[in-house]
Amino acid sequence: ILNVEQSPQSLHVQEGDSTNFTCSFPSSNFYALHWYRWETAKSPEALFVMTLNGDEKKKGRISATLNTKEGYSYLYIKGSQPEDSATYLCASSGNTGKLIFGQGTTLQVKP
Amino acid sequence: EPEVTQTPSHQVTQMGQEVILRCVPISNHLYFYWYRQILGQKVEFLVSFYNNEISEKSEIFDDQFSVERPDGSNFTLKIRSTKLEDSAMYFCASTLLDRRDTQYFGPGTRLTVL
């Protein structure tokens, strides 16, 4: 894998559904994996930064896991709410700090 | 909570004109970045800046682009002669020097080149 790739590109779920997205990234020269939440007309907001293989992080109903050996991360949202509607961006960084982004997953939660 | 701000929120310009996009990073941050997202494409890195020097730049960041920290608070991106393909959302980000793993982003400036 040469680039950061995210799937699915978009997702429509009902309120209360749980959902998850995937981020694939190059496992060579890996330093950190970042998840951002981006609502239209607002600043992308940092959700998680993960560095260690097997890392799991949680923030309320949102959690993320990291597998650096195989080069993937999952983001989970438990019991989706309409306010979770946003684009979720994944990015990989090396030790220079430069972020390499995936294309994002746009989540729409219907009430 | 401190935040990164960017002005203007939307800039419309004619091809060949110069534009300056402005960013005010979080006050104690020392590392600064510009990214852009062309509609329908990935967010892509342009340049990083520290201690009044470019730390790293992408191949997109050619001679038409320049960055400057003209005073203690502003961080600017200048495009000397805009092209149609420069139309994009431009994001500024900043980090603490010892916490470069978390970049704080501004809301972006949408640049439209006609």
Side-chain angles (χ1 to χ4, degrees):
Chain A
I1 298 171
L2 299 177
N3 293 314
V4 178
E5 301 291 341
Q6 291 185 247
S7 63
Q9 188 172 342
S10 64
L11 199 54
H12 296 257
V13 301
Q14 289 295 132
E15 182 176 354
D17 287 350
S18 293
T19 188
N20 65 86
F21 326 132
T22 303
C23 173
S24 302
F25 56 90
S27 51
S28 60
N29 298 319
F30 172 81
Y31 183 77
L33 192 283
H34 309 250
W35 282 101
Y36 283 85
R37 180 174 180 275
W38 181 25
E39 287 183 73
T40 305
K42 294 188 178 179
S43 305
E45 174 198 353
L47 289 174
F48 304 113
V49 180
M50 295 183 288
T51 57
L52 299 176
N53 185 46
D55 237 355
E56 288 188 38
K57 294 211 171 177
K58 191 174 179 182
K59 191 175 184 177
R61 294 179 290 98
I62 305 176
S63 61
T65 61
L66 179 66
N67 182 323
T68 60
K69 292 184 180 179
E70 295 181 39
Y72 65 82
S73 174
Y74 295 131
L75 187 80
Y76 300 92
I77 303 178
K78 185 178 177 182
S80 303
Q81 299 296 308
E83 57 265 32
D84 296 328
S85 298
T87 295
Y88 292 83
L89 296 170
C90 158
S92 174
S93 65
N95 59 5
T96 66
K98 173 177 78 175
L99 295 177
I100 306 296
F101 283 90
Q103 62 271 62
T105 293
T106 299
L107 173 68
Q108 189 71 38
V109 182
K110 298 175 188 174
Chain B
E1 187 173 328
E3 57 185 23
V4 177
T5 59
Q6 290 185 243
T7 55
S9 57
H10 191 187
Q11 172 104 36
V12 181
T13 190
Q14 294 291 325
M15 189 169 58
Q17 295 295 303
E18 174 183 286
V19 294
I20 297 176
L21 309 183
R22 302 181 193 280
C23 169
V24 179
I26 295 172
S27 62
N28 59 342
H29 286 191
L30 295 176
Y31 230 100
F32 313 114
Y33 303 82
W34 283 101
Y35 294 84
R36 76 175 185 187
Q37 186 187 37
I38 295 170
L39 192 63
Q41 297 185 23
K42 296 178 180 180
V43 175
E44 49 191 357
F45 168 81
L46 293 178
V47 67
S48 59
F49 188 86
Y50 167 69
N51 200 24
N52 285 318
E53 288 184 351
I54 290 175
S55 300
E56 187 176 3
K57 60 182 181 178
S58 71
E59 58 191 30
I60 303 167
F61 195 88
D62 61 21
D63 292 344
Q64 292 298 312
F65 291 88
S66 62
V67 288
E68 193 177 35
R69 190 155 160 81
D71 54 42
S73 59
N74 288 285
F75 178 51
T76 63
L77 174 70
K78 183 193 289 187
I79 309 175
R80 278 184 245 291
S81 178
T82 49
K83 304 171 191 164
L84 295 176
E85 54 264 36
D86 293 329
S87 295
M89 180 75 90
Y90 287 80
F91 292 99
C92 167
S94 68
T95 72
L96 291 165
L97 184 59
D98 58 349
R99 284 301 310 274
R100 286 173 53 200
D101 58 348
T102 301
Q103 294 184 24
Y104 293 82
F105 281 79
T109 292
R110 178 162 297 285
L111 175 65
T112 302
V113 182
L114 302 176

